[in-house]
């Protein structure tokens, strides 16, 4: 092999081929100390760090490492001497990512005729079949789905490319006729994904190197269970961390950290958002307990599992990370009768004149919102990662009944939380336009609305009536039946108290100019 010289390294000796799995070096790391560490992000990727025992000669060394995940990003690999006692350089890295499998062997033998073993009762026989198409999932498609083989396979099947085509006796069939029997493996076949390095070292010796890389196929989320008493809104909360590993690798006795925040990461997929019909702030909070510690890290927050854990491939693991009781909350009812109208009515003369015709599209639903102040004084007050919050209430017999849930976003401390959990059964709203006047010459318009609320509950409730001035930005409300608060440039809120079995009506006129 051609010898390479580098200004920071001495003259290199001939290449020495090594396999990490066979290296005679014994790590000096204590037996009870984790040699693997994971930082898992809630965006379906993680950073893997582990100790790799290396025995190198001075000069060039060829090393094969096949204890990586199936979805490693090869260009993210960093190999170094963590002690800083030697200089390492990866002169060349080859990533082999197609370990031997039935699907791969079918694809390698496309166009060839092979044997298939067919079982017929107590006996088996061999038939010959030509592989026209293997039906294997291309690796680029698996990567597009974040390492999810099943999603990739389903996508390929929908496109018509996921089924094998085998020719038997001159006829085509879209299934394997039996168990395929392949020719022997080539010498360079691999059973697991592998990184093959040419490493230049400035000195010989054995040492624990640190390997780190980014991989997809791992993610985490938070889940919150909230329990309310039979009467009242003083809550108990329990928080769980749920980790999922579909990376193709098991991590034994690993130190695990969880990164919360919206970290910029180039991806092939677009994330999906959660639905909330009232506002964009969905969040909740819990205090930390000993199982997980939390700290600010750069512009994000880092949660560390205090005990090493084993995360097996295709495993979902849960750890309780927070618990709190005595949390004061508030149930808020919101009626936004024009929520659907805003997208139906254009800001023009036609829409103004014809809103009366589409008024039946206004909703009758009154939303249920749970408000919680995420403060230390309210038994909360730490940054909380995104996840699902489930609400339960105790029945008179002590049994817990599910009363709603929603997704929460990453939430800092001292924020007020508003969580939509459903629609009130015994509260009904109606909204209609009772009058409209338009003067195009003077560029003015007047609209009058009537909002009717009915309470069939046995107790008095407050309903927040939200109205949107979506016609334009210059407006005023010259007449109104109830006091209101201007909540933003194009919205107001009436707060209406309704006694049991009572009906209340809110009216107002909005005056537009342009």
């Amino acid at each position: 092999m051609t010898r390479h010289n580098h200004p920071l390294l001495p003259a290199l000796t001939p290449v020495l081929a090594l396999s990490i799995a066979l290296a005679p070096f014994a790590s000096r790391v204590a037996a009870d100390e984790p040699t693997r560490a994971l930082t898992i992000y809630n965006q379906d990727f993680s950073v893997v760090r582990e100790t790799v025992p290396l025995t190198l000669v001075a000069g060039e060394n060829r090393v094969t490492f096949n204890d990586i995940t199936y979805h490693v990003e090869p260009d993210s690999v960093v190999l170094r001497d963590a002690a800083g006692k030697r200089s390492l350089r990866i002169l060349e890295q080859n990533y082999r990512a197609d370990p031997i499998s039935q699907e791969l062997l079918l694809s390698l033998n496309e166009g060839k005729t092979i044997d298939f073993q067919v079982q017929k009762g107590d006996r088996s026989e061999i038939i010959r079949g030509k592989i026209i198409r293997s039906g294997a999932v291309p690796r680029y498609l698996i990567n597009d789905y974040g390492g999810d083989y099943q999603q990739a396979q389903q996508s390929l099947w929908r496109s018509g490319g996921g089924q094998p085509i085998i020719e038997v006796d001159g006829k085509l069939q879209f299934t394997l006729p039996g168990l395929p029997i392949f020719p022997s493996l080539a010498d360079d076949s691999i059973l697991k994904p592998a990184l093959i390095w040419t490493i230049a070292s400035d000195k010989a010796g054995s040492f624990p190197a640190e390997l780190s890389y980014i991989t997809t196929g791992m993610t985490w989320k938070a889940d919150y269970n909230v329990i309310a008493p039979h009467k009242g809104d003083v809550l108990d909360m329990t928080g769980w961390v749920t980790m999922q590993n579909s990376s193709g690798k098991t991590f034994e006795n690993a130190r695990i950290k969880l990164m919360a925040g919206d970290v910029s990461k180039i991806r092939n997929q677009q994330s999906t958002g959660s639905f909330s019909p009232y506002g964009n702030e969905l969040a909740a909070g819990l205090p930390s307990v000993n199982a997980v510690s939390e700290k600010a890290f750069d512009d994000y927050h880092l949660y560390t599992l205090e005990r090493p854990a084993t995360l097996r491939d295709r495993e979902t693991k849960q750890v309780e990370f927070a618990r709190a009781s005595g949390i004061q909350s508030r149930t808020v009812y919101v009626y936004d009768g024009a929520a659907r109208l805003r997208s139906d009515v254009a800001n023009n003369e036609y829409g103004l004149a014809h809103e009366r015709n589409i008024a039946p599209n206004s909703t009758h639903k009154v939303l249920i919102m749970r408000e919680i102040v995420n403060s230390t004084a309210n038994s909360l007050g730490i940054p909380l990662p995104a996840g699902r919050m489930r609400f339960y209430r105790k029945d008179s017999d002590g049994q817990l009944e599910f009363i709603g849930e929603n997704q929460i976003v990453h939430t800092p401390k001292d924020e007020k939380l508003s969580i939509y959990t459903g629609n009130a059964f015994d509260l009904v709203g109606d909204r209609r336009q009772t009058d409209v006047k338009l003067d195009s010459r003077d560029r003015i318009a007047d609209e009058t609305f009537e909002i009717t609320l009915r309470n069939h509950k046995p107790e008095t409730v407050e309903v927040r009536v939200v109205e949107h001035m979506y016609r334009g930005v210059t407006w005023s409300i010259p007449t109104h039946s109830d006091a209101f608060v201007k909540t933003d440039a194009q919205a107001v809120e009436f707060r209406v108290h309704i006694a049991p079995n009572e009906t209340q009506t809110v009216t107002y006129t909005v005056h537009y100019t342009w």
Side-chain angles (χ1 to χ4, degrees):
M1 176 175 291
T2 305
R3 297 177 59 145
H4 304 276
N5 291 312
H6 191 279
L8 297 180
L9 298 175
L12 301 179
T13 59
V15 173
L16 176 64
L18 298 174
S19 170
I20 288 180
L22 301 176
F25 174 74
S27 174
R28 295 182 179 85
V29 179
D32 58 347
E33 183 179 343
T35 59
R36 292 186 175 92
L38 299 173
T39 301
I40 306 175
Y41 294 71
N42 49 14
Q43 297 162 272
D44 192 33
F45 74 95
S46 66
V47 176
V48 178
R49 291 172 298 276
E50 57 185 300
T51 300
V52 175
L54 287 181
T55 299
L56 302 179
V57 299
E60 288 189 17
N61 303 261
R62 188 169 178 83
V63 178
T64 298
F65 183 68
N66 57 9
D67 192 22
I68 57 174
T69 70
Y70 278 68
H71 309 294
V72 60
E73 295 183 4
D75 50 5
S76 70
V77 169
V78 176
L79 183 68
R80 69 190 185 102
D81 178 9
K85 297 180 179 179
R86 54 178 44 79
S87 175
L88 293 181
R89 288 182 178 266
I90 299 178
L91 302 179
E92 181 179 300
Q93 174 177 279
N94 296 299
Y95 173 49
R96 300 197 58 190
D98 287 317
I100 292 300
S101 64
Q102 177 175 291
E103 291 80 7
L104 177 61
L105 290 177
L106 284 171
S107 66
L108 293 177
N109 286 276
E110 282 185 352
K112 299 179 182 178
T113 299
I114 67 170
D115 292 337
F116 290 89
Q117 180 178 314
V118 181
Q119 193 72 28
K120 293 184 177 181
D122 295 334
R123 64 185 183 86
S124 63
E125 63 179 49
I126 300 297
I127 66 172
R128 300 280 288 172
K130 183 178 181 180
I131 304 172
I132 305 300
R133 185 179 69 192
S134 68
V137 179
R139 180 171 178 79
Y140 72 84
L141 186 54
I142 296 177
N143 286 339
D144 285 346
Y145 282 87
D148 192 321
Y149 181 87
Q150 295 299 325
Q151 280 187 273
Q153 185 72 63
Q154 290 172 10
S155 175
L156 197 61
W157 272 60
R158 286 193 296 267
S159 66
Q163 292 176 290
I165 300 177
I166 309 298
E167 180 182 334
V168 179
D169 295 331
K171 296 180 180 180
L172 300 180
Q173 60 183 61
F174 283 84
T175 185
L176 299 180
L179 180 67
I181 301 175
F182 300 103
S184 60
L185 295 174
D187 291 340
D188 61 348
S189 299
I190 58 173
L191 299 178
K192 297 174 65 176
L195 292 169
I196 303 171
W197 296 310
T198 300
I199 300 176
S201 175
D202 62 344
K203 62 179 68 173
S206 297
F207 65 99
E210 181 187 83
L211 171 67
S212 63
Y213 58 87
I214 294 175
T215 180
T216 57
M218 278 190 282
T219 191
W220 73 278
K221 63 185 179 71
D223 289 280
Y224 307 93
N225 294 324
V226 181
I227 299 175
H230 176 52
K231 298 290 185 180
D233 291 310
V234 179
L235 309 175
D236 295 333
M237 292 186 182
T238 302
W240 291 88
V241 167
T242 301
M243 298 166 283
Q244 292 180 314
N245 179 15
S246 57
S247 68
K249 173 180 166 64
T250 293
F251 294 89
E252 297 277 355
N253 195 34
R255 179 69 69 188
I256 299 177
K257 297 181 181 180
L258 310 171
M259 186 74 77
D262 299 321
V263 179
S264 178
K265 180 77 167 65
I266 299 174
R267 300 180 55 82
N268 293 325
Q269 290 178 280
Q270 293 183 350
S271 60
T272 57
S274 58
F275 166 74
S276 168
Y278 179 64
N280 296 321
E281 297 299 326
L282 298 176
L286 299 173
S288 177
V289 295
N290 291 335
V292 178
S293 62
E294 178 275 339
K295 68 177 181 180
F297 183 81
D298 200 67
D299 285 313
Y300 313 108
H301 285 270
L302 197 60
Y303 299 78
T304 301
L305 275 65
E306 294 301 316
R307 298 173 60 249
T310 294
L311 190 58
R312 295 179 175 84
D313 184 35
R314 301 183 184 276
E315 180 179 64
T316 298
K317 182 182 290 290
Q318 292 179 309
V319 176
E320 181 181 309
F321 81 106
R323 182 178 290 266
S325 59
I327 303 166
Q328 299 292 328
S329 68
R330 182 180 182 184
T331 300
V332 176
Y333 299 105
V334 177
Y335 180 66
D336 189 350
R340 293 175 59 184
L341 286 172
R342 294 201 307 275
S343 60
D344 295 337
V345 181
N347 184 19
N348 55 36
E349 183 175 331
Y350 177 85
L352 184 65
H354 288 76
E355 179 170 342
R356 197 173 298 155
N357 295 332
I358 65 171
N361 288 334
S362 61
T363 181
H364 298 286
K365 301 296 184 181
V366 176
L367 312 180
I368 306 170
M369 309 294 296
R370 313 286 179 178
E371 289 189 351
I372 304 170
V373 178
N374 181 21
S375 66
T376 303
N378 197 27
S379 303
L380 302 175
I382 69 167
L384 265 293
R388 179 185 300 183
M389 177 169 284
R390 298 177 177 88
F391 285 82
Y392 299 86
R393 186 177 288 278
K394 290 183 180 180
D395 196 359
S396 56
D397 60 3
Q399 182 172 314
L400 297 181
E401 302 293 351
F402 176 73
I403 58 172
E405 67 179 11
N406 214 322
Q407 293 291 326
I408 67 171
V409 298
H410 299 307
T411 305
K413 64 182 181 68
D414 297 328
E415 291 290 320
K416 184 174 73 174
L417 321 169
S418 296
I419 304 109
Y420 165 72
T421 59
N423 302 319
F425 189 102
D426 293 320
L427 299 176
V428 180
D430 285 305
R431 179 185 187 273
R432 67 189 186 97
Q433 182 192 64
T434 59
D435 196 14
V436 57
K437 297 177 182 178
L438 172 67
D439 189 335
S440 299
R441 177 179 298 177
D442 292 336
R443 296 187 175 183
I444 60 173
D446 293 284
E447 288 183 283
T448 301
F449 293 95
E450 178 184 272
I451 298 98
T452 303
L453 300 167
R454 296 183 291 276
N455 177 19
H456 300 283
K457 295 170 71 68
E459 66 271 0
T460 299
V461 298
E462 179 189 80
V463 177
R464 299 180 183 181
V465 178
V466 178
E467 287 291 296
H468 304 269
M469 312 301 123
Y470 51 86
R471 301 290 187 188
V473 295
T474 305
W475 55 272
S476 62
I477 299 180
T479 60
H480 49 89
S481 62
D482 296 70
F484 66 88
V485 176
K486 185 176 180 181
T487 55
D488 63 39
Q490 289 185 280
V492 299
E493 185 177 278
F494 299 88
R495 297 195 175 186
V496 184
H497 290 84
I498 316 171
N501 300 311
E502 184 182 55
T503 299
Q504 289 277 14
T505 300
V506 175
T507 61
Y508 74 93
T509 298
V510 56
H511 176 71
Y512 292 98
T513 60
W514 65 90

